[in-house]
Amino acid sequence: MAPRAAPAARLDTPVKFLKGIGERRAEALERLGIRTARDLLWHLPHRYIDASTVTPLAQAHLGQEVACVGRVMAKGVLPTRRGLRIFHAVLRDDSGVLECVWPGQPFLDRSILIGQTLLVSGPVRFYHGRQMVPREFVILGDADTDADPLPAGKVLPVYPATEGLSHKVIRSLIDRHLERLISLSHDGLPDPLRLSLDLLQLPEALRAVHRPASAAEAERGRRRLAFDELFDLQLMLIRARSVAKRHRSGVAFTLKRQLTTRLKQHLPWNLTGDQQQALREITADMTAPDRMHRLLMGDVGTGKTVVALFAMLLAVENDFQAALMAPTELLAEQHGTTLETLLAPLDIRPELLLGRQTGAAKAAVKQRIAAGQARVVVGTHALLQESVAFHRLGLVVIDEQHRFGVEQRAALIGKGPAPDVLLLTATPIPRSLALTLYGDLDVSTLRQRPPGRGMVRTAVRGTGQRDRVMDFVREECGQGKQAYIVLPVIEESERADLRAAETMAQTLTARWPELPVGLVHGRLKGEERDRVMRRFRSGEVRVLVATTVIEVGIDVPDATIMVIEHPERFGLAQLHQLRGRIGRGTEESYCILLAESGAPQRLNGFAATQDGFKIAELDLAERGMGDLIGARQSGGFEVRHARLPADADLLAKARDLAMKVIEADPALQRRENQQLRERAVARYPRAVELFRVG
Ligand code: ADP
Ligand code: MG
């Protein structure tokens, strides 16, 4: 249906031109990533509440995780003996009252007001009575609104909100514009196909997610959006694969057993069985005339680097160059140092190319790369510059491959006539998912951990034991160890979370004068973050308070302790990634989860295993249960609507359909596919290069 030509009746109209939104609100909306009318339409609820998911305050029992809605009757800031300031509020509903406390967040006193209706969710604990420590809160209504925000039988959508723009305002803005914006949305899916998949039309789906009459209706809407998203993702992946395969014939290297054999002789340890198996697979690929396109998947610490090095030497002993690209300067430097040590006995010096080198140094490295003197090259994105030309590039290795865009990977690969490609990832995913997401990439996996590394012991401790845990940290750090203290930061409460991290760093600095404390979080500039990380790696900083931004591959052997605050707020896979930062030396390491009493069973399951693949299965199963966090990341692509494995059926159908479409029209250049191309490109910036016309 063609929209009426009304002023501002376009989805790409900046939001500030919509009724009810001026410059100031537009600025606040921008913080939520909402710039256009389309963004507003696609600002979807991140959860729904109704009478079946909300617990009456009187029935919030000890040890449970619950969501409650109530009106603020009393509130204030209380000091504690330990100098921590606690904001507390008493909520009331028809059933009774419940006290909520936010330790270390006295500033909430300014935003939470008497008479407001709050949605709170979190664990209920015992402290002079029942108490909730909310993980999340949403202000549903102000004191002046009388209406019950949650009348019986109604489903209330809850939107992500931000400072200066309450949930209530966002909901009313969406209410005001929803129907008109929906009428501007087109359904790209042909009816017969849509019906065969039992999916709603797009406008119906959008209405269903924003204003569902029931939880089931919201779910039906979500499924439709999930399908579109998975379909776009598959279009892009399948296209990427066909582009990568296009000039599939490559170099057939010869296993000369010169450099590779010498490396083996000089290694201070034996390769693990998994490493040997991966090497056999890689060698078979590289000595075959087809180009290698292989993914090496293995937990942090399983020894992917040395496997990659063997592959690089196989190329080098055939008089080709090999390049290793890492996503950050820190990781590239670390690889440089590792390779330098391992290659020293072979008289090969790896060349390092980093963004922060001086112009003269870079020019010199580029010159050696162009002349072919540089045989093993390690670098960051700096390798992608046009001015970097290889003499004879035979192998490309990309570490943490999902942190590069498809076109970035392609840019490096394009620097050789037909180099073999080895991609590395420290994010193990279940086999079923890998097959779908990585399709016909060949996959090698490292499950075993090299012997001789210290064990990582994981323990779940109650917050009541915090002092004892912290004493332990102090003692260990006093004896030369280093520690990470990790705090969660989630979108919904980012400001408060960052404050908590800052407060923690300040408190520890004051309490432990003998131990230099550092702080890193996502709001720091990259350089500043690198600077603190370098100081931690050099041992100058002994205790690092961090949000989840600690570099994945970072190798600090003396860091043997990690304390994780609010572990219940992390996904299991994420906890596992965090834990991978310790246990890198030969000493035993300790990962301590400081959880509220009545810690969920899932944390014990996590503590019991160190196998990343097992945890990936647990994590996927858990997130598939309709958890509000959802499956945010799949193989490094953001997935907002789809939930796996629950949507595995949609994924399979999306994949089939995408294959058919790409087979018939590889670059989506036909008229009838134009919309598909536009949507995929809009959703996944990485698709821009892949579907460039011409
Ligand atoms: P990943 O990149 O997979 O996280 P690394 O390649 O950084 O792991 O290896 C982790 C550590 O294990 C490194 O210090 C490396 O030298 C060491 N290592 C690798 N393979 C073995 C092995 N077979 N035996 C003993 N130590 C090993
Ligand atoms: Mg690594």
Coordinates of all heavy atoms in Angstrom, one line a residue, residues 46-93:
H46 N 12.2 -4.5 25.2 CA 13.2 -5.6 25.4 C 12.6 -6.6 26.4 O 13.2 -7.7 26.7 CB 14.5 -5.1 25.9 CG 14.4 -4.4 27.2 ND1 13.6 -3.3 27.4 CD2 15.1 -4.5 28.4 CE1 13.8 -2.8 28.7 NE2 14.6 -3.6 29.3
R47 N 11.4 -6.3 26.9 CA 10.7 -7.4 27.7 C 9.3 -7.0 27.8 O 8.9 -5.8 27.5 CB 11.3 -7.6 29.1 CG 11.2 -6.3 30.0 CD 12.0 -6.6 31.3 NE 11.5 -7.7 32.0 CZ 11.9 -8.0 33.2 NH1 12.9 -7.4 33.8 NH2 11.4 -9.0 33.8
Y48 N 8.5 -8.0 28.3 CA 7.0 -7.7 28.5 C 6.7 -8.2 29.9 O 7.3 -9.1 30.4 CB 6.2 -8.6 27.5 CG 6.5 -8.2 26.0 CD1 7.5 -8.9 25.3 CD2 5.8 -7.2 25.4 CE1 7.8 -8.5 24.0 CE2 6.1 -6.8 24.1 CZ 7.1 -7.5 23.4 OH 7.4 -7.1 22.1
I49 N 5.8 -7.5 30.5 CA 5.3 -8.0 31.8 C 3.8 -8.0 31.7 O 3.1 -7.2 31.1 CB 5.8 -7.1 32.9 CG1 5.5 -5.6 32.7 CG2 7.3 -7.3 33.1 CD1 5.8 -4.8 33.9
D50 N 3.3 -9.0 32.4 CA 1.9 -9.1 32.6 C 1.6 -9.8 33.9 O 2.6 -10.1 34.6 CB 1.2 -9.8 31.4 CG 1.6 -11.3 31.4 OD1 2.2 -11.8 32.3 OD2 1.3 -11.9 30.3
A51 N 0.4 -10.0 34.3 CA 0.1 -10.5 35.6 C 0.8 -11.9 35.8 O 1.1 -12.3 36.9 CB -1.4 -10.7 35.7
S52 N 1.0 -12.6 34.7 CA 1.6 -13.9 34.8 C 3.1 -13.9 35.1 O 3.7 -14.8 35.6 CB 1.3 -14.8 33.6 OG 2.1 -14.3 32.5
T53 N 3.8 -12.7 34.7 CA 5.2 -12.7 34.9 C 5.6 -11.8 36.1 O 6.7 -11.7 36.5 CB 5.9 -12.2 33.7 OG1 5.3 -11.0 33.3 CG2 5.9 -13.2 32.5
V54 N 4.6 -11.0 36.6 CA 4.9 -10.2 37.8 C 4.4 -10.8 39.1 O 3.3 -11.4 39.1 CB 4.2 -8.8 37.6 CG1 4.2 -8.0 38.9 CG2 4.8 -8.0 36.5
T55 N 5.3 -10.8 40.0 CA 5.0 -11.4 41.3 C 4.4 -10.4 42.3 O 5.0 -9.3 42.4 CB 6.2 -12.0 41.9 OG1 6.8 -12.9 41.0 CG2 6.0 -12.8 43.2
P56 N 3.3 -10.6 42.9 CA 2.8 -9.7 43.9 C 3.8 -9.5 45.0 O 4.5 -10.5 45.4 CB 1.5 -10.4 44.5 CG 1.1 -11.4 43.4 CD 2.4 -11.8 42.7
L57 N 4.0 -8.3 45.5 CA 5.1 -8.1 46.5 C 5.1 -9.0 47.7 O 6.2 -9.5 48.1 CB 5.0 -6.6 47.0 CG 5.2 -5.6 45.9 CD1 4.9 -4.2 46.4 CD2 6.7 -5.6 45.4
A58 N 3.9 -9.4 48.1 CA 3.8 -10.2 49.3 C 4.3 -11.6 49.0 O 4.7 -12.4 49.9 CB 2.4 -10.3 49.8
Q59 N 4.4 -12.0 47.7 CA 4.8 -13.4 47.4 C 6.2 -13.4 46.8 O 6.6 -14.5 46.2 CB 3.8 -13.9 46.4 CG 2.5 -14.4 47.0 CD 1.4 -14.5 46.1 OE1 1.5 -14.9 44.9 NE2 0.2 -14.1 46.5
A60 N 6.9 -12.4 46.9 CA 8.3 -12.4 46.5 C 9.1 -13.1 47.6 O 9.4 -12.5 48.7 CB 8.9 -11.0 46.3
H61 N 9.4 -14.4 47.4 CA 10.0 -15.2 48.5 C 11.5 -15.2 48.4 O 12.1 -15.0 47.4 CB 9.5 -16.6 48.4 CG 8.0 -16.7 48.6 ND1 7.4 -16.3 49.7 CD2 7.0 -17.3 47.8 CE1 6.1 -16.5 49.6 NE2 5.9 -17.1 48.5
L62 N 12.1 -15.5 49.6 CA 13.6 -15.5 49.7 C 14.2 -16.4 48.7 O 13.7 -17.5 48.4 CB 13.9 -15.9 51.1 CG 13.7 -15.0 52.2 CD1 14.1 -15.6 53.5 CD2 14.4 -13.6 52.0
G63 N 15.3 -16.0 48.1 CA 16.1 -16.8 47.2 C 15.5 -16.9 45.8 O 16.1 -17.5 44.9
Q64 N 14.4 -16.2 45.6 CA 13.8 -16.2 44.2 C 14.3 -15.1 43.4 O 14.7 -14.0 43.9 CB 12.3 -16.1 44.3 CG 11.6 -17.4 44.7 CD 10.1 -17.2 44.7 OE1 9.6 -16.1 44.9 NE2 9.4 -18.3 44.6
E65 N 14.3 -15.2 42.1 CA 14.5 -14.1 41.2 C 13.1 -13.7 40.7 O 12.4 -14.5 40.1 CB 15.2 -14.6 39.9 CG 16.7 -14.7 40.1 CD 17.5 -13.5 39.7 OE1 16.9 -12.7 38.9 OE2 18.6 -13.3 40.2
V66 N 12.7 -12.5 41.0 CA 11.3 -12.1 40.6 C 11.3 -10.7 40.0 O 12.2 -9.9 40.1 CB 10.3 -12.1 41.8 CG1 10.1 -13.5 42.3 CG2 10.9 -11.2 42.9
A67 N 10.2 -10.5 39.3 CA 9.9 -9.1 38.8 C 8.6 -8.7 39.5 O 7.6 -9.4 39.7 CB 9.6 -9.1 37.3
C68 N 8.6 -7.4 40.1 CA 7.5 -6.9 40.8 C 7.2 -5.5 40.3 O 8.1 -4.8 39.9 CB 7.8 -6.8 42.3 SG 8.2 -8.4 43.1
V69 N 5.9 -5.1 40.5 CA 5.6 -3.7 40.2 C 4.9 -3.1 41.5 O 4.1 -3.8 42.1 CB 4.5 -3.7 39.1 CG1 4.0 -2.3 38.9 CG2 5.2 -4.2 37.8
G70 N 5.3 -1.9 41.8 CA 4.8 -1.3 43.0 C 5.0 0.2 43.0 O 5.8 0.7 42.2
R71 N 4.3 0.8 43.9 CA 4.4 2.3 44.0 C 5.4 2.6 45.2 O 5.5 2.0 46.2 CB 3.1 2.9 44.4 CG 2.8 4.2 43.8 CD 1.4 4.6 43.9 NE 0.7 4.4 42.6 CZ 0.2 5.4 41.9 NH1 0.4 6.7 42.4 NH2 -0.3 5.3 40.8
V72 N 6.2 3.7 45.0 CA 7.2 4.0 46.0 C 6.5 4.8 47.1 O 5.9 5.8 46.9 CB 8.3 5.0 45.4 CG1 9.3 5.4 46.4 CG2 8.9 4.3 44.2
M73 N 6.6 4.1 48.3 CA 5.9 4.7 49.5 C 6.9 5.5 50.4 O 6.5 6.5 51.0 CB 5.4 3.6 50.4 CG 4.4 2.6 49.7 SD 3.1 3.5 48.9 CE 2.3 4.2 50.3
A74 N 8.1 5.1 50.4 CA 9.1 5.7 51.2 C 10.5 5.5 50.6 O 10.6 4.5 49.9 CB 9.1 5.2 52.6
K75 N 11.4 6.3 50.8 CA 12.7 6.1 50.2 C 13.8 6.9 51.0 O 13.4 7.8 51.8 CB 12.7 6.5 48.8 CG 12.4 8.0 48.6 CD 13.0 8.5 47.3 CE 13.0 10.0 47.3 NZ 13.8 10.5 46.2
G76 N 15.0 6.7 50.7 CA 16.1 7.5 51.3 C 17.5 6.8 51.1 O 17.6 5.7 50.5
V77 N 18.5 7.5 51.6 CA 19.8 7.0 51.5 C 20.3 6.6 52.9 O 20.2 7.4 53.8 CB 20.8 8.0 50.9 CG1 22.2 7.5 50.9 CG2 20.3 8.3 49.5
L78 N 20.8 5.4 53.1 CA 21.3 5.0 54.4 C 22.8 4.7 54.3 O 23.3 4.1 53.4 CB 20.7 3.6 54.8 CG 19.1 3.6 54.9 CD1 18.7 2.2 55.0 CD2 18.7 4.4 56.1
P79 N 23.5 5.2 55.3 CA 25.0 4.8 55.3 C 25.1 3.5 56.0 O 24.2 3.0 56.7 CB 25.6 5.9 56.3 CG 24.4 6.4 57.1 CD 23.1 6.0 56.4
T80 N 26.2 2.7 55.7 CA 26.4 1.5 56.4 C 27.7 1.6 57.2 O 28.4 2.6 57.0 CB 26.6 0.3 55.4 OG1 27.8 0.5 54.7 CG2 25.4 0.1 54.5
R81 N 28.0 0.6 58.0 CA 29.2 0.7 58.8 C 30.4 0.8 58.0 O 31.4 1.4 58.3 CB 29.2 -0.5 59.8 CG 28.6 -0.3 61.1 CD 28.7 -1.5 61.9 NE 27.9 -2.6 61.3 CZ 28.3 -3.9 61.3 NH1 29.4 -4.2 61.8 NH2 27.6 -4.8 60.7
R82 N 30.4 0.1 56.8 CA 31.5 0.0 56.0 C 31.7 1.3 55.1 O 32.6 1.3 54.2 CB 31.5 -1.2 55.1 CG 32.0 -2.4 55.9 CD 32.1 -3.7 55.0 NE 30.7 -4.2 54.7 CZ 30.4 -4.6 53.4 NH1 31.2 -4.5 52.5 NH2 29.2 -5.0 53.2
G83 N 30.9 2.3 55.3 CA 31.0 3.5 54.6 C 30.4 3.5 53.2 O 30.5 4.4 52.4
L84 N 29.7 2.4 52.9 CA 29.0 2.3 51.6 C 27.6 3.0 51.8 O 27.0 2.9 52.8 CB 28.8 0.8 51.3 CG 28.2 0.4 50.0 CD1 29.3 0.7 48.9 CD2 27.9 -1.1 50.0
R85 N 27.2 3.8 50.8 CA 25.9 4.4 50.9 C 24.9 3.6 50.1 O 25.1 3.2 49.0 CB 25.9 5.8 50.5 CG 27.0 6.6 51.4 CD 26.7 8.0 51.7 NE 26.4 8.8 50.5 CZ 25.7 9.8 50.5 NH1 25.1 10.2 51.6 NH2 25.4 10.5 49.3
I86 N 23.7 3.4 50.7 CA 22.7 2.5 50.1 C 21.5 3.3 49.8 O 20.9 4.0 50.7 CB 22.4 1.3 51.0 CG1 23.6 0.4 51.2 CG2 21.2 0.5 50.5 CD1 23.4 -0.8 52.1
F87 N 21.0 3.3 48.6 CA 19.7 3.9 48.3 C 18.6 2.8 48.6 O 18.8 1.6 48.2 CB 19.6 4.4 46.9 CG 18.2 4.9 46.6 CD1 17.7 6.1 47.1 CD2 17.4 4.1 45.7 CE1 16.4 6.5 46.8 CE2 16.1 4.6 45.4 CZ 15.6 5.8 46.0
H88 N 17.5 3.1 49.3 CA 16.5 2.1 49.5 C 15.1 2.8 49.2 O 14.9 4.0 49.3 CB 16.6 1.5 50.9 CG 15.9 2.4 51.9 ND1 14.9 2.0 52.7 CD2 16.2 3.7 52.3 CE1 14.5 2.9 53.5 NE2 15.3 4.0 53.3
A89 N 14.2 1.9 48.8 CA 12.9 2.4 48.5 C 11.9 1.3 48.9 O 12.2 0.1 48.7 CB 12.7 2.7 47.0
V90 N 10.8 1.7 49.5 CA 9.8 0.7 49.9 C 8.6 0.8 48.9 O 8.1 1.8 48.6 CB 9.2 1.0 51.3 CG1 8.2 0.0 51.7 CG2 10.4 0.9 52.3
L91 N 8.3 -0.4 48.3 CA 7.3 -0.5 47.3 C 6.0 -1.1 47.9 O 6.1 -1.9 48.8 CB 7.7 -1.3 46.1 CG 9.0 -0.9 45.3 CD1 9.1 -1.7 44.0 CD2 9.0 0.6 45.0
R92 N 4.9 -0.6 47.4 CA 3.6 -1.2 47.9 C 2.8 -1.6 46.7 O 2.7 -0.9 45.7 CB 2.9 -0.2 48.7 CG 1.5 -0.6 49.1 CD 0.7 0.5 49.8 NE 1.2 0.8 51.2 CZ 1.0 0.0 52.2 NH1 0.3 -1.1 52.1 NH2 1.4 0.4 53.4
D93 N 2.1 -2.7 46.8 CA 1.0 -3.0 45.8 C -0.2 -3.5 46.6 O -0.2 -3.5 47.8 CB 1.5 -4.0 44.7 CG 1.8 -5.4 45.3 OD1 1.5 -5.7 46.5 OD2 2.2 -6.3 44.5

